[in-house]
Amino acid sequence: MSLSLNQWTTRRWSLPEAVDGCARHGLEAVGLWREKVAETGLARSAKLVREAGLRVSSLCRGGFLTAGGLPGEEGRRAFAEALEDNRRAVDEAAELGAACLVMVVGGLPGVRPGEPLPAGFSRDVAGARERVAEALASLAPYAGERGVKLALEPLHPVYCPDRAVLSTLGQALDLALPYPEEQVGVVVDTFHVWWDPALHEQIARAGRRIASYQVCDYLHPLPADVLLGRGMMGDGVIDFPPITRAVAAAGYIGDVEVEIFNADVWAADPDEVVATMKERYAGVVTVPAAPFTVT
Amino acid sequence: MSLSLNQWTTRRWSLPEAVDGCARHGLEAVGLWREKVAETGLARSAKLVREAGLRVSSLCRGGFLTAGGLPGEEGRRAFAEALEDNRRAVDEAAELGAACLVMVVGGLPGVRPGEPLPAGFSRDVAGARERVAEALASLAPYAGERGVKLALEPLHPVYCPDRAVLSTLGQALDLALPYPEEQVGVVVDTFHVWWDPALHEQIARAGRRIASYQVCDYLHPLPADVLLGRGMMGDGVIDFPPITRAVAAAGYIGDVEVEIFNADVWAADPDEVVATMKERYAGVVTVPAAPFTVT
């Protein structure tokens, strides 16, 4: 396994800056975001990472497939638009040569990420999960034909209302296993799954289905905006080595992406963030942390 | 099933006031808290509820059993103290004739509820879970001898660091099933479990092990203090009727407790809170809510 910078960790950097930064810090891989790729242009982005000799460990992100659970024409239109957008994301992942397209499947129909509950949203979480399965049946073969692997990401249950009704690794595997391994895999993101009592059993069950291993810490208490509760490894509650060992034992040989959404990290000098990330990766992710790391 | 007021919902009321309130609003059951019982005195509390003809649907709470995961003498002392406190809680539940003693098992060793991570806390979530199982082996027979049922409460994973390493109903059942049904059961609290993809399967598996069914809504977004994210039924994202039906189908015939931790609810006139609770119970918990209830 080798360290990869998910570019949202250094979000002040443009894609060219992130590519330069990876080279400067001796990283072999980068995780890209569609917004950043769009800013730079798809063809130019692909050229830049190729010329820098970087692997693209993932493209973030496809998904948001659940709005089809809204009633009538609104639901049908939302579902069609989501599929269309996801096909574009697959095309982008193919052109970038990304190891996978990360799928954040979406929350309750009608609820937008980070926003208050709107009028007319749906409480039907089971139905929303069925919409995800339906969308996958359409997208998996499309991705497979283009050599792209969809990576289903279970998100911490605190994000179930607005970001992902996919809440556990076991649930992600239930969705992924009917498809060929090269079409659909799963993401193991320590932030989202560290608490899961079935984690080790499900990592073993996942085996080669693990398409991406992402690490960052889980801060406690969470900040008011729970999206920003991701911290530098060592700053939170996660005991990384047992998870890292389990992922390795399952046969994962891909890159380890560090993806941090955190106001302080974003405010810091990106070069310092990358330096800290390398240090913490070596000191915390692969060997036990001190009882508590002062930050 | 019949409606019960968990007295923390109307926490401005003392125990005698809550007992009066239940009588005034025609409720047949009340869920008590140890702090409130202690204020009024155990014997007097027991007498008051008995004379009012109320069932005690639960006593909150035992638990916080994980500090034994701290190293050395500190851990041993914390574990012994936790067991001692839990035996007292069992004795109180027996004297009150409570249907069960709710067990909030505790978070990572050394982390106190709602407080920042302290120096020297433990990240060993698996070890913390073993401490809970160990404590249960000691407490279950003690409770059984006194006619008290321990009710293991899985808490939403957002509380895993500081309140409960017991995070899913399935995990709670794995712990409960080795013991006789009259000694150890589980709590189904809608706030904590609504997101769980295995919920319906595990409710069916639980069957008569369900010792308490608690309802309140899950607000979105959560307030900055996530403990206060519990809302009046209809104010959040939970679709209650499928859960209520599943609990009934599992054979649960106990009371349905409404337990709300919410700054606005606590600031309101308790009599109005109880009136709203009755109305919402009838209108939301047993029949589908409107797509969105304006509060």
Side-chain angles (χ1 to χ4, degrees):
Chain A
M1 299 195 203
S2 138
L3 183 58
S4 171
L5 172 69
N6 181 293
Q7 74 173 134
W8 217 251
T9 303
T10 52
R11 68 182 286 193
R12 280 158 56 188
W13 275 348
S14 67
L15 188 142
E17 288 170 331
V19 167
D20 280 353
C22 286
R24 199 161 53 246
H25 290 275
L27 300 176
E28 297 173 12
V30 66
L32 301 179
W33 276 67
R34 292 180 71 198
E35 290 84 335
K36 296 281 187 184
V37 169
E39 268 171 31
T40 297
L42 178 60
R44 186 170 164 234
S45 299
K47 188 162 178 284
L48 283 171
V49 292
R50 208 164 42 235
E51 289 178 354
L54 288 172
R55 295 185 295 276
V56 178
S57 48
S58 79
L59 178 63
C60 292
R61 58 194 186 184
F64 291 95
L65 300 162
T66 54
L70 294 171
E73 183 52 38
E74 189 185 1
R76 279 189 294 275
R77 195 176 55 240
F79 193 64
E81 284 173 3
L83 289 181
E84 181 52 34
D85 183 58
N86 275 276
R87 284 189 291 263
R88 276 196 300 273
V90 167
D91 295 345
E92 291 163 24
E95 181 150 351
L96 293 163
C100 63
L101 174 65
V102 172
M103 302 290 281
V104 172
V105 302
L108 293 173
V111 180
R112 289 177 180 278
E115 293 183 17
L117 299 175
F121 82 96
S122 164
R123 291 182 174 87
D124 182 8
V125 65
R129 288 166 172 160
E130 285 167 22
R131 294 298 82 68
V132 174
E134 238 176 70
L136 201 59
S138 155
L139 293 171
Y142 183 90
E145 286 162 17
R146 283 148 190 86
V148 170
K149 184 184 288 191
L150 304 177
L152 299 174
E153 182 164 20
L155 260 55
H156 192 287
V158 79
Y159 302 121
C160 189
D162 62 341
R163 288 191 167 86
V165 292
L166 192 52
S167 306
T168 65
L169 186 56
Q171 184 194 5
L173 283 170
D174 288 345
L175 277 173
L177 290 174
Y179 298 95
E181 192 179 291
E182 62 276 16
Q183 283 181 17
V184 186
V186 296
V187 180
V188 175
D189 180 318
T190 53
F191 177 91
H192 294 304
V193 301
W194 71 274
W195 60 271
D196 185 350
L199 178 60
H200 287 263
E201 173 194 335
Q202 294 299 328
I203 287 176
R205 177 179 169 224
R208 300 289 302 230
R209 288 279 171 169
I210 300 174
S212 175
Y213 178 43
Q214 302 195 345
V215 295
C216 78
D217 219 326
Y218 182 97
L219 301 182
H220 177 81
L222 289 175
D225 179 352
V226 293
L227 185 65
L228 306 184
R230 299 172 72 96
M232 190 60 79
M233 298 79 76
D235 290 355
V237 302
I238 298 177
D239 185 17
F240 291 93
I243 306 177
T244 300
R245 283 195 296 268
V247 166
Y252 182 73
I253 51 169
D255 297 303
V256 184
E257 251 183 53
V258 175
E259 185 188 48
I260 302 177
F261 302 168
N262 180 301
D264 294 335
V265 170
W266 288 341
D269 171 5
D271 272 296
E272 283 176 23
V273 169
V274 176
T276 304
M277 173 184 96
K278 287 176 65 177
E279 190 188 302
R280 296 291 183 89
Y281 178 72
V284 174
V285 175
T286 54
V287 298
F292 181 62
T293 308
V294 179
T295 64
Chain B
M1 297 195 204
S2 141
L3 183 58
S4 172
L5 172 69
N6 181 293
Q7 73 173 134
W8 217 251
T9 303
T10 52
R11 68 181 285 192
R12 280 160 54 189
W13 275 348
S14 66
L15 188 142
E17 289 170 330
V19 167
D20 280 353
C22 286
R24 199 161 54 245
H25 290 275
L27 299 176
E28 297 172 14
V30 66
L32 300 179
W33 276 67
R34 293 180 72 197
E35 290 85 334
K36 296 280 188 186
V37 169
E39 268 171 30
T40 297
L42 178 60
R44 185 169 166 234
S45 298
K47 186 161 180 283
L48 282 170
V49 291
R50 209 166 38 237
E51 288 178 353
L54 288 172
R55 294 185 296 275
V56 177
S57 48
S58 78
L59 177 65
C60 293
R61 58 194 185 186
F64 291 95
L65 300 163
T66 54
L70 294 172
E73 184 52 37
E74 188 184 0
R76 277 189 295 275
R77 196 178 52 239
F79 193 63
E81 285 172 2
L83 289 181
E84 181 52 35
D85 183 57
N86 275 274
R87 283 190 290 263
R88 278 196 300 272
V90 167
D91 295 344
E92 292 163 25
E95 180 149 353
L96 293 163
C100 62
L101 174 65
V102 172
M103 302 290 283
V104 173
V105 302
L108 294 173
V111 181
R112 289 177 180 277
E115 293 183 16
L117 299 176
F121 81 96
S122 164
R123 291 181 175 88
D124 182 8
V125 65
R129 285 164 174 161
E130 285 166 23
R131 293 298 81 71
V132 175
E134 239 176 70
L136 201 58
S138 155
L139 293 171
Y142 183 91
E145 285 161 19
R146 283 148 189 86
V148 170
K149 185 184 286 190
L150 304 177
L152 300 174
E153 181 163 21
L155 260 55
H156 191 288
V158 80
Y159 302 120
C160 189
D162 62 343
R163 287 189 168 86
V165 292
L166 191 52
S167 306
T168 65
L169 186 55
Q171 184 194 5
L173 282 170
D174 288 345
L175 277 174
L177 289 175
Y179 298 95
E181 192 179 292
E182 61 277 15
Q183 284 181 16
V184 187
V186 296
V187 180
V188 175
D189 180 319
T190 53
F191 177 90
H192 293 304
V193 300
W194 72 274
W195 59 272
D196 186 349
L199 178 60
H200 286 264
E201 175 193 333
Q202 295 299 329
I203 287 176
R205 178 180 168 223
R208 300 289 302 230
R209 288 279 172 169
I210 301 175
S212 174
Y213 178 42
Q214 303 196 345
V215 296
C216 78
D217 218 327
Y218 182 98
L219 300 182
H220 178 82
L222 289 175
D225 179 353
V226 294
L227 185 66
L228 306 185
R230 300 172 72 97
M232 191 58 81
M233 299 80 76
D235 289 354
V237 302
I238 298 177
D239 186 17
F240 290 93
I243 306 178
T244 301
R245 282 194 297 269
V247 167
Y252 183 73
I253 51 169
D255 295 304
V256 183
E257 248 183 56
V258 175
E259 185 188 48
I260 302 178
F261 302 169
N262 181 301
D264 294 335
V265 170
W266 289 340
D269 171 6
D271 272 296
E272 281 176 26
V273 169
V274 176
T276 305
M277 174 185 95
K278 287 176 65 176
E279 189 188 302
R280 295 291 183 88
Y281 179 72
V284 173
V285 176
T286 54
V287 300
F292 182 61
T293 308
V294 178
T295 63

